[in-house]
Amino acid sequence: MTQTAAESLKDLDEKILVYCRSGKRSAAACEQLEKMGYQNVYNFGGILDWPYEINR
């Protein structure tokens, strides 16, 4: 069963970090979350551009 953001993220002030592969979807997701009333949304952009080590 898939949950929506509103079902999973009840606290509109909770910090939300968003990323995707290239950065386009994370930007769109941040915009949607902000329209939904979330206050602390941070777009980390694309993981392909991440300058730090990635643990898999």
Side-chain angles (χ1 to χ4, degrees):
M1 181 171 92
T2 303
Q3 290 185 326
T4 64
E7 293 169 334
S8 299
L9 308 168
K10 305 272 188 209
D11 183 358
L12 295 178
D13 292 322
E14 187 169 349
K15 189 181 298 182
I16 302 172
L17 311 175
V18 183
Y19 71 93
C20 69
R21 184 175 179 273
S22 69
K24 290 185 179 188
R25 288 170 292 165
S26 62
C30 285
E31 187 176 323
Q32 275 300 115
L33 289 165
E34 289 170 350
K35 285 181 183 177
M36 294 171 65
Y38 292 96
Q39 301 296 313
N40 294 309
V41 179
Y42 299 93
N43 183 3
F44 273 36
I47 197 68
L48 293 177
D49 295 327
W50 186 250
Y52 307 103
E53 184 176 342
I54 299 171
N55 294 325
R56 295 178 188 230

